[in-house]
Amino acid sequence: MGIEGPMYTCPMCGEPLTIVYNKGYLKGRALEGFRGRGVWRYSPMLPFEGDVKPVSLNEGDTPLHRSLRLGGKLGLEELLLKNEGLNPTASFKDRGMTVAVTDAVRRKASRVICASTGNTAASVAAYAARAGLKSYVLVPSGIVARGKLAQAVAYGARIVKVRGSFDEALEIVMETVSRDGDIYLMNSVNPYRIEGQKTLAFEVWEQMGGRTPDWLVLPVGNAGNITAVWKGFKELTEVGLTQRTPHILGVQAEGASPLARAFEMGFDELVPVENPETYATAIRIGKPISWRRALAAARESGGSIISVSDDSILEAQKTLARMEGVFVEPASAASIAGLEKAMEDGLIGDEDSVVAVLTGHGLKDPDSAIRMGVEEVEAEPGPEALAMALGV
Ligand code: F0G
């Protein structure tokens, strides 16, 4: 049986579609209140009516740690760390995937597909397995971190390593889906992905006791998450739950920073980066599909999109692990490197409250940590040898 009518992009302009609610309707639903946990706690703000059976692995409900040392080092009064690495497949992608796979099942899809730098692949594979669907994941050959690949293998995805970039892999996937209407698309051009991911904003607002931060900082690759988070905060104001939205700061890696450049130059066009390069492989993307919505999020929120060097990303990854006990993958550390740069540039001030979104767990990319520099020695199993090795 064919899939029942999913649409991803506008047939006129080709832009990704956005789910827009009637304001009165959404407000009425929000007034019903939020019950339960995680992403599905916010069901009244999600595009399902009546009896839905969520395909869930208990995603969302991730900790918002108060920084104990790093904020002080940066001179910040309030730094909060949103640890999205504690989702079921260890990245924020699960928020979108639970909603999109639930939609896929509702539409009677049996196969799902995505292009990915790794985390989307892992998450798609897991939620497809949970729903009993077949998954196909296309990843750029040679750059995907080992932990992510291991996940996709374990969950039984069919993995295709494309000899090309993420951007090329996404183009092939989009073409495949437009030719074969029976394969359901799981990339963030799918509006249900954005709906799930917007719950990050709702959760931050609730965890801060009904406040919103002055700034929310997050890494940007294909630009789905910045789109989603901004949509979430805007909806909170539309339904009257808050008056203030945060400034959104998107952070790209220098070698893959078409959005930072467009923002800086005030462009309304995207000049793609043909051969994106960065050590933060999750965000090695030269042609973000949601570029227009990302620029809008930064501009409307009074925020910005900036870029940071790979060296500063690696330094931030290490500092975060050692000062806060939170181990993230390199792309996630871009949030911290970007925050530091924005403070140096005077964009973010000492008195601002900041939420840094840490998008993926460090174990996703164990090689990046090993390269931090090894502080280990071998010793014979005796007390003297041990004392020598420890230097005590
Ligand atoms: N952080 C991590 C750890 C990611 O995996 C990604 C994207 C991002 C940030 C950026 O989010 O694309 O919504 O702007 N990873 C995608 C993937 C591209 O295939 O896993 P975005």
Side-chain angles (χ1 to χ4, degrees):
M1 192 173 0
I3 312 182
E4 294 164 9
M7 266 181 68
Y8 312 108
T9 52
C10 168
M12 308 288 280
C13 70
E15 286 292 309
L17 292 178
T18 301
I19 294 174
V20 181
Y21 301 84
N22 172 293
K23 282 196 185 120
Y25 168 84
L26 197 63
K27 196 165 183 170
R29 300 249 309 180
L31 286 178
E32 290 169 17
F34 304 133
R35 275 177 288 276
R37 301 188 65 189
V39 166
W40 294 95
R41 171 174 174 73
Y42 306 104
S43 294
M45 310 277 276
L46 294 176
F48 298 96
E49 277 187 315
D51 245 357
V52 274
K53 278 217 183 77
V55 178
S56 175
L57 290 162
N58 289 8
E59 47 294 314
D61 232 342
T62 58
L64 185 69
H65 307 293
R66 187 162 292 277
S67 161
L68 298 179
R69 289 174 198 84
L70 182 58
K73 178 181 171 244
L74 298 175
L76 260 186
E77 246 162 58
E78 186 174 34
L79 173 61
L80 300 164
L81 306 166
K82 184 65 173 156
N83 194 356
E84 287 289 282
L86 294 188
N87 273 298
T89 77
S91 86
F92 71 97
K93 304 285 180 183
D94 297 340
R95 290 182 186 273
M97 242 41 99
T98 181
V99 172
V101 170
T102 298
D103 181 59
V105 168
R106 167 172 80 164
R107 292 180 195 275
K108 304 193 169 43
S110 58
R111 297 175 297 157
V112 298
I113 192 168
C114 71
S116 176
T117 55
N119 281 326
T120 297
S123 188
V124 164
Y127 283 84
R130 183 78 173 158
L133 310 180
K134 176 115 196 75
S135 63
Y136 306 97
V137 306
L138 275 73
V139 296
S141 176
I143 72 152
V144 176
R146 280 199 299 164
K148 304 173 188 181
L149 214 48
Q151 288 179 294
V153 171
Y155 294 127
R158 170 123 189 137
I159 302 167
V160 181
K161 292 185 175 172
V162 178
R163 289 188 210 101
S165 65
F166 165 84
D167 303 292
E168 287 167 303
L170 182 56
E171 264 170 42
I172 310 168
V173 164
M174 300 278 289
E175 207 180 302
T176 305
V177 170
S178 72
R179 278 199 208 152
D180 180 347
D182 279 353
I183 306 187
Y184 186 93
L185 176 66
M186 295 297 288
N187 281 100
S188 56
V189 251
N190 180 330
Y192 289 89
R193 280 276 312 276
I194 303 294
E195 291 304 297
Q197 286 175 209
K198 78 182 180 187
T199 61
L200 192 146
F202 304 161
E203 227 173 79
V204 164
W205 164 77
E206 276 205 290
Q207 286 174 317
M208 290 182 73
R211 275 194 306 139
T212 49
D214 295 314
W215 285 87
L216 183 129
V217 188
L218 79 173
V220 176
N222 210 24
N225 211 30
I226 189 171
T227 302
V229 165
W230 178 233
K231 186 175 196 284
F233 282 116
K234 274 199 302 190
E235 286 179 0
L236 278 181
T237 61
E238 281 165 18
V239 301
L241 288 172
T242 183
Q243 267 72 53
R244 278 178 69 248
T245 50
H247 307 294
I248 308 289
L249 177 65
V251 186
Q252 297 201 291
E254 266 168 14
S257 56
L259 283 166
R261 185 170 156 72
F263 189 88
E264 190 186 358
M265 307 295 278
F267 289 166
D268 281 321
E269 288 302 322
L270 187 85
V271 182
V273 171
E274 288 308 329
N275 294 303
E277 261 307 326
T278 167
Y279 190 69
T281 54
I283 52 172
R284 193 196 278 205
I285 293 175
K287 202 177 159 192
I289 193 109
S290 295
W291 67 269
R292 212 183 276 276
R293 300 190 293 188
L295 289 178
R299 286 175 183 154
E300 287 172 19
S301 71
S304 183
I305 302 179
I306 60 173
S307 66
V308 292
S309 69
D310 274 11
D311 282 350
S312 70
I313 289 175
L314 292 183
E315 198 50 43
Q317 184 191 24
K318 197 160 147 181
T319 307
L320 190 60
R322 295 181 186 190
M323 293 188 97
E324 301 287 354
V326 179
F327 176 30
V328 301
E329 66 167 287
S332 309
S335 288
I336 302 301
L339 168 60
E340 205 163 350
K341 186 169 179 193
M343 290 193 71
E344 277 163 23
D345 293 348
L347 184 63
I348 296 182
D350 305 354
E351 286 169 15
D352 286 330
S353 58
V354 178
V355 169
V357 181
L358 307 174
T359 45
H361 201 286
L363 288 174
K364 292 270 194 180
D365 190 354
D367 297 320
S368 75
I370 302 291
R371 267 178 255 151
M372 275 180 196
V374 184
E375 286 179 26
E376 46 181 71
V377 284
E378 284 203 9
E380 295 303 323
E384 275 145 38
L386 184 65
M388 281 239 304
L390 293 176
V392 291

